[in-house]
Amino acid sequence: MKEVYQQTIEEVQSSQNGHTRELNEAEVKRKRETYGYNVLPEGKKKNIVQVFLEQFKDFLVIILIASAIVSGFLGELQSAIVIFVVITMNAILGTVQTIKAEQSLKGLEKLSAPEAKVLRDSAVLLIPSKEVVPGDFVILEAGDYVPADGRLMESATLTVDESTLSGESVPVEKTTETLEKSVPLQDRSNMVFSGSFVTYGRGTYIVTATGKDTEVGKIAELLNNASEKKTPLQENLDQFGQRLSVLILIFCGLLFGVNVFRGEDIGNAFLFAVALAVAAIPEALSSIVTIVLAFGTRKMAEEHAIIRKLQAVEGLGSVSVLCSDKTGTLTQNKMTVEEYYTDGKTVSTDQISLEDSHQRKLLSYSILCNDSTNEEGKEIGDPTETALINVGSKFGISIGEERKSHERIAENPFDSERKMMSTLNKFENQYIMITKGAVDVLIDRVRFIDTKEGVREITEQDREMILKENNAFSENGLRVLAFAYKETECKQALTIEDEENLTFLGLIAMVDPPREESKLAVEKCKRAGIRPIMITGDHKITAAAIAKRIGILSDVQEACDGAVLDSMTDEELESFVEGISVYARVSPEHKIRIVRAWQKKGHIVSMTGDGVNDAPALKQADVGVAMGITGTEVSKNAASMVLTDDNFSTIVKAVENGRNVYSNIKHAIGFLLAGNLGGILTVFYASLAGLPVPFAPVHLLFINLLTDSLPAIALGLEPHSATVMNQKPRPVNEGILTKDFLGKIGLEGFVIGCMTIIGFYIGYGAGGAALGSTYAFGTLCMSRLVHGFNSKTDEPLGGIGMLFNNKYLSGAFIVGVLLLVSVLMIPALRGIFSVVTLNGMQMLTIALLSAANFPIIQLLRWLKKHRK
């Protein structure tokens, strides 16, 4: 069956309505019952209760809940309450973070035109766009939004801006002609699509699709099907949690079994196991990661990047492929004149001289044969025409005065079939018809040429020079308009026959230029090991030219049309993407397939864009980045990050921030795990050595939640370093728990555990189990505070300046010490935390044992570094 655009107007009318007239009310009612309203369907949303309950699915949290319940039954009600409070606080934090409403579909609905002019029962009606049904005849005029998809029946120089759907910056000229061949959406010139905007002319079309069946509706469906990816950190933390859970259960089971075997009371044996579980599980880890990411978002907001999803901060730091839309992202989304060609020479707009009569004439004629305006910075009209008058404004020429001085008497409006526009203007004692249009069309109507020697007949050599210059412009991705004129008598109307025997004046070449900062940003991406890819709905030659200018493309063989992808399987596409840097004339489906292909190859993919057509790929990508100024609501709501300055280089800053955030989070995790390992080794050693339990669960919760949390958060705020951009993105399959990382944690945890065991022995020998437990608690708590300074970097610290360059860490150390001293010195707190009174010498012993961790660990790092 033929597509709608391949059918004649009569065939479309018959297939839609069974006749060629407009609908009546009875037919409208029947169609609405069949097709429903012209709105997009709502997706299912999770309510706040569901989101809150999902926070308890983590296996580590389940272990803690089980420990709390059993502890409560065994009489340790205080510990059970503390554990439940901690778990609930973490769940609330997670819920607040997760409840970021999926507004993509709402954003799409806003694109629907609020009202539409339809022809029903021989009358023109203004109705809400949601009441439009398939088969309706809709009337379009300049300034109207298109309410639904349809086939054009009438077109009077109708031009439509489809950039939000296609990504093409130049408005599309529409026709009513039937298209015989299968063509992509961007080339269906006899169709109009919901959400696009009429920039010029008028027309009438028959509606062929409404609601979810429109192209915008299909994008909505893609958004529902596009899965949000977990960032590497989320994957790593999930993997880490699973492995840690298994280890904890094994150790707790062994410890419980050993103690029961040795004749310990089952209740006490279980409390030993609970103490081990509490010591092992970093209860505040998820909260700390959330807080560090939140601080990262604040820093990035100051640098024009608003993070909508916290995990995107770290995800950006892992990006290895950056897929970018062209229009409005790498380019300015504003047609700009770059070159003039007149009197046999080419000049850039910066070098135009108003003293040169030919250049001044070309500038003047481009203003006069033009329907656009630019008043007080507000541009109205076709982007190509506004680009022409902006050159005049640049040179201080008043557009209004120029047109007033050379009054327009008549005009031949632009026609997509003629590909020309003509105006008749009065110049003192003569009348001149100015014509502009496509070079290949206008060159055949030219008989003369305007040169510095005067006007003479055009030669074949002249024509070849003009066409050669036109080809050179086109190969560089420039759009070219030719200008010609002829003197004539005053007329009230111009005809097509008047547009003959013209005098060639010149060519004007324009382009949607790259952003100034794009080239530098692309260079930084490459240096950081990130592969930049351009994905656009624009033509291949234009896309390739822009990509070459900013450094994305080095060889034209690296560019291809989206149609090439249609015949490929997903497996073939995976092999194909490696060699392609520019994709042109792509559809939303192509964008998602390209993103998925890179993801299947093991890459972390970021996608940038600003149009409706970018939204599904933005959501599918690991990190979607939308433009805040030119971006549609749809793209913003599908993205993880929104750029408030629409500046491509902001992405590079965001990548740098993301890498630093990940590095800091890893240091914070290393700090927590080394401290926890110290506690685990102490408990395990005491059990094997037949000693009393060295810690009450409340001791470990105090350390994990208070004296550990503040330094961990402070480590997450460690000053950023630009050196991270000299590193390649870390492999997607590289978890947090690498061999080197585990070795470092094991060694540092062992040192902390040794100091704690020594403290326990000193206290136990001097005053029994209670004093030994107090010593162990104090030593472990203070050791972990000291270890915060070790955790600033994986290398030996490079001097006293580096030791104290993080005011947050220094503050966390002071607060932690004050909290510990309060617990040890204030009688009321001593009772709550099951500690005994210490004298000054005992306090000093704890302090010295704890401080010894720093020089020992620094020495071990120094030895390791110099042994390599």
Side-chain angles (χ1 to χ4, degrees):
M1 183 179 172
K2 292 191 291 186
E3 296 286 347
V4 173
Y5 60 85
Q6 295 173 311
Q7 299 174 27
T8 65
I9 295 169
E10 292 75 19
E11 285 175 334
V12 176
Q13 289 172 334
S14 296
S15 64
Q16 288 293 326
N17 300 336
H19 51 72
T20 57
R21 59 172 173 78
E22 70 273 11
L23 298 175
N24 57 41
E25 280 306 312
E27 289 171 315
V28 169
K29 186 177 180 182
R30 281 200 303 273
K31 282 180 175 281
R32 186 165 297 126
E33 288 172 356
T34 303
Y35 298 103
Y37 281 101
N38 181 31
V39 293
L40 298 170
E42 282 277 357
K44 288 185 179 180
K45 301 283 194 300
K46 291 178 183 175
N47 62 43
I48 194 166
V49 176
Q50 288 174 308
V51 174
F52 179 75
L53 292 175
E54 280 186 355
Q55 308 305 310
F56 296 94
K57 286 163 70 174
D58 188 278
F59 197 51
L60 286 174
V61 175
I62 293 170
I63 292 174
L64 276 177
I65 291 172
S67 299
I69 292 170
V70 178
S71 295
F73 278 115
L74 293 174
E76 293 287 332
L77 193 60
Q78 195 176 44
S79 295
I81 291 171
V82 172
I83 293 172
F84 273 121
V85 168
V86 170
I87 293 168
T88 306
M89 284 172 59
N90 282 339
I92 291 170
L93 274 170
T95 304
V96 170
Q97 174 187 328
T98 306
I99 294 293
K100 294 186 181 295
E102 289 291 333
Q103 296 170 341
S104 294
L105 291 173
K106 290 185 179 178
L108 280 165
E109 287 168 9
K110 289 177 186 176
L111 273 180
S112 302
E115 291 182 318
K117 289 189 283 287
V118 297
L119 186 64
R120 291 178 182 169
D121 281 333
S122 302
V124 177
L125 306 175
L126 190 64
I127 63 170
S129 65
K130 72 173 187 176
E131 294 182 6
V132 171
V133 297
D136 258 330
F137 291 4
V138 178
I139 299 167
L140 295 175
E141 295 175 351
D144 288 346
Y145 274 101
V146 179
D149 292 2
R151 168 72 158 86
L152 278 167
M153 300 187 296
E154 296 175 11
S155 174
T157 64
L158 185 71
T159 309
V160 180
D161 181 349
E162 296 178 347
S163 60
T164 57
L165 268 173
S166 67
E168 189 167 348
S169 54
V170 180
V172 181
E173 299 156 13
K174 293 296 180 179
T175 177
T176 58
E177 291 180 6
T178 302
L179 303 175
E180 294 181 5
K181 295 181 179 178
S182 178
V183 294
L185 181 143
Q186 298 95 322
D187 296 327
R188 295 173 192 172
S189 55
N190 60 8
M191 299 285 292
V192 288
F193 302 102
S194 176
S196 52
F197 181 75
V198 179
T199 61
Y200 190 82
R202 57 185 174 77
T204 304
Y205 76 97
I206 179 171
V207 175
T208 57
T210 58
K212 63 181 175 61
D213 299 320
T214 63
E215 292 300 323
V216 169
K218 291 173 186 174
I219 292 174
E221 191 65 28
L222 284 173
L223 279 174
N224 282 335
N225 294 334
S227 57
E228 288 195 36
K229 304 286 290 181
K230 286 188 175 182
T231 69
L233 181 63
Q234 287 176 296
E235 296 279 7
N236 286 338
L237 287 177
D238 288 348
Q239 185 185 72
F240 163 69
Q242 290 165 6
R243 290 180 180 177
L244 187 60
S245 301
V246 173
L247 286 173
I248 288 168
L249 289 175
I250 291 170
F251 272 106
C252 288
L254 283 171
L255 189 62
F256 181 76
V258 167
N259 284 336
V260 170
F261 179 75
R262 288 170 46 198
E264 288 276 350
D265 178 72
I266 289 179
N268 287 335
F270 185 79
L271 286 178
F272 247 116
V274 168
L276 182 65
V278 172
I281 296 173
E283 290 85 1
L285 178 59
S286 122
S287 304
I288 288 164
V289 169
T290 301
I291 291 165
V292 172
L293 289 174
F295 272 102
T297 65
R298 191 174 73 176
K299 179 175 173 58
M300 292 170 81
E302 291 169 0
E303 295 176 351
H304 309 292
I306 294 175
I307 302 297
R308 294 188 65 254
K309 297 166 186 175
L310 281 183
Q311 297 88 345
V313 181
E314 175 274 331
L316 272 164
S318 315
V319 167
S320 54
V321 175
L322 178 52
C323 297
S324 175
D325 184 40
K326 176 183 74 68
T327 306
T329 307
L330 290 163
T331 66
Q332 298 173 20
N333 199 19
K334 179 184 174 71
M335 292 300 288
T336 305
V337 173
E338 291 209 338
E339 308 272 0
Y340 271 25
Y341 172 78
T342 185
D343 191 23
K345 58 187 177 186
T346 301
V347 294
S348 69
T349 49
D350 294 332
Q351 297 172 326
I352 290 173
S353 170
L354 299 184
E355 303 298 318
D356 185 303
S357 61
H358 286 86
Q359 293 173 25
R360 178 65 177 87
K361 187 187 285 187
L362 185 56
L363 176 54
S364 176
Y365 285 10
S366 71
I367 293 170
L368 298 174
C369 187
N370 193 317
D371 290 329
S372 67
T373 60
N374 186 351
E375 296 176 5
E376 298 179 358
K378 187 177 182 181
E379 297 177 357
I380 300 173
D382 186 274
T384 301
E385 292 199 323
T386 57
L388 296 172
I389 65 171
N390 285 341
V391 179
S393 301
K394 180 180 177 180
F395 285 94
I397 296 172
S398 169
I399 309 303
E401 287 298 318
E402 189 78 10
R403 289 172 176 171
K404 189 176 179 182
S405 302
H406 308 293
E407 181 188 356
R408 183 186 292 189
I409 308 300
E411 67 179 286
N412 226 352
F414 179 84
D415 186 290
S416 58
E417 293 180 10
R418 284 171 34 250
K419 295 185 178 180
M420 289 192 299
M421 170 185 179
S422 297
T423 62
L424 180 64
N425 296 79
K426 185 178 180 182
F427 284 77
E428 296 179 355
N429 300 321
Q430 60 181 337
Y431 293 90
I432 294 178
M433 185 187 75
I434 305 165
T435 303
K436 72 176 179 191
V439 180
D440 57 337
V441 174
L442 205 63
I443 197 74
D444 294 332
R445 295 171 183 255
V446 167
R447 184 178 172 187
F448 306 96
I449 187 168
D450 195 337
T451 69
K452 59 187 174 187
E453 289 84 19
V455 176
R456 59 172 172 79
E457 282 206 25
I458 194 166
T459 65
E460 279 306 311
Q461 188 178 1
D462 292 327
R463 292 180 194 275
E464 286 175 11
M465 283 291 292
I466 293 166
L467 292 173
K468 182 180 177 183
E469 199 62 36
N470 177 51
N471 287 337
F473 286 143
S474 298
E475 285 170 5
N476 285 313
L478 301 176
R479 189 179 189 204
V480 188
L481 284 177
F483 282 79
Y485 67 94
K486 78 173 180 181
E487 295 180 18
T488 184
E489 73 266 10
C490 182
K491 297 182 176 184
Q492 293 305 309
L494 294 175
T495 65
I496 295 174
E497 287 71 29
D498 289 321
E499 296 171 334
E500 297 288 349
N501 300 319
L502 303 172
T503 300
F504 179 80
L505 177 58
L507 306 176
I508 296 181
M510 62 193 78
V511 72
D512 177 12
R515 293 178 177 275
E516 291 179 10
E517 62 281 350
S518 289
K519 187 172 184 179
L520 181 62
V522 167
E523 286 176 9
K524 286 184 177 178
C525 281
K526 288 185 172 181
R527 194 167 65 247
I530 300 168
R531 171 83 180 270
I533 305 289
M534 179 191 286
I535 305 179
T536 178
D538 220 333
H539 290 279
K540 178 180 169 181
I541 192 166
T542 306
I546 294 294
K548 205 164 188 178
R549 285 168 71 169
I550 60 177
I552 287 179
L553 188 75
S554 56
D555 186 337
V556 77
Q557 298 298 320
E558 294 174 18
C560 79
D561 280 312
V564 175
L565 310 184
D566 291 331
S567 59
M568 290 186 184
T569 64
D570 289 344
E571 290 72 24
E572 289 170 336
L573 183 58
E574 281 180 48
S575 305
F576 183 70
V577 291
E578 225 26 281
I580 301 297
S581 297
V582 175
Y583 298 87
R585 309 302 279 170
V586 296
S587 67
E589 291 89 345
H590 291 149
K591 292 186 179 188
I592 284 192
R593 287 190 69 203
I594 293 163
V595 170
R596 282 179 180 156
W598 279 109
Q599 287 172 335
K600 285 180 181 177
K601 290 179 75 69
H603 289 272
I604 301 297
V605 183
S606 176
M607 170 76 188
T608 74
D610 60 354
V612 176
N613 60 326
D614 298 319
L618 287 174
K619 189 174 178 184
Q620 174 64 38
D622 298 280
V623 182
V625 183
M627 302 294 130
I629 299 172
T630 58
T632 59
E633 286 301 309
V634 189
S635 63
K636 292 177 195 174
N637 295 329
S640 308
M641 181 173 87
V642 179
L643 306 183
T644 59
D645 61 353
D646 284 15
N647 191 326
F648 184 76
S649 66
T650 301
I651 301 169
V652 181
K653 290 181 190 171
V655 169
E656 184 177 321
N657 280 329
R659 290 189 177 187
N660 274 294
V661 165
Y662 180 80
S663 175
N664 289 348
I665 286 175
K666 193 169 181 180
H667 288 148
I669 291 172
F671 162 77
L672 291 171
L673 296 185
N676 281 14
L677 181 60
I680 292 169
L681 292 175
T682 305
V683 173
F684 203 63
Y685 175 82
S687 175
L688 294 177
L691 298 169
V693 182
F695 307 110
V698 73
H699 289 165
L700 297 166
L701 284 170
F702 174 84
I703 295 170
N704 285 1
L705 297 174
L706 294 176
T707 55
D708 255 13
S709 296
L710 294 176
I713 292 169
L715 285 167
L717 305 178
E718 190 72 15
H720 286 191
S721 167
T723 58
V724 293
M725 292 303 282
N726 297 327
Q727 303 165 7
K728 300 296 181 188
R730 68 182 183 278
V732 66
N733 57 356
E734 180 184 286
I736 291 176
L737 302 179
T738 60
K739 184 179 177 182
D740 288 345
F741 190 62
L742 285 172
K744 183 176 89 71
I745 290 170
L747 186 62
E748 293 168 5
F750 178 76
V751 173
I752 293 170
C754 286
M755 294 300 112
T756 306
I757 291 166
I758 291 169
F760 179 72
Y761 266 120
I762 292 171
Y764 185 60
L771 185 58
S773 178
T774 303
Y775 259 86
F777 166 59
T779 304
L780 181 60
C781 188
M782 183 75 80
S783 293
R784 290 166 82 154
L785 289 171
V786 169
H787 187 56
F789 293 100
N790 281 320
S791 301
K792 287 166 64 68
T793 174
D794 295 334
E795 300 289 321
L797 285 169
I800 196 76
M802 189 175 179
L803 188 64
F804 297 109
N805 67 345
N806 183 348
K807 62 182 179 182
Y808 302 107
L809 185 60
S810 301
F813 177 79
I814 293 167
V815 171
V817 170
L818 289 174
L819 286 170
L820 175 61
V821 170
S822 299
V823 168
L824 295 176
M825 299 297 290
I826 298 172
L829 293 177
R830 285 203 297 265
I832 294 172
F833 286 94
S834 306
V835 294
V836 298
T837 307
L838 299 176
N839 58 38
M841 184 55 69
Q842 290 169 329
M843 292 280 282
L844 181 61
T845 303
I846 289 173
L848 290 173
L849 284 170
S850 304
N853 285 282
F854 184 79
I856 292 171
I857 289 172
Q858 287 297 311
L859 177 62
L860 290 171
R861 285 185 184 175
W862 186 88
L863 291 171
K864 182 182 177 184
K865 182 178 180 181
H866 287 82
R867 197 177 61 220
K868 288 181 179 178

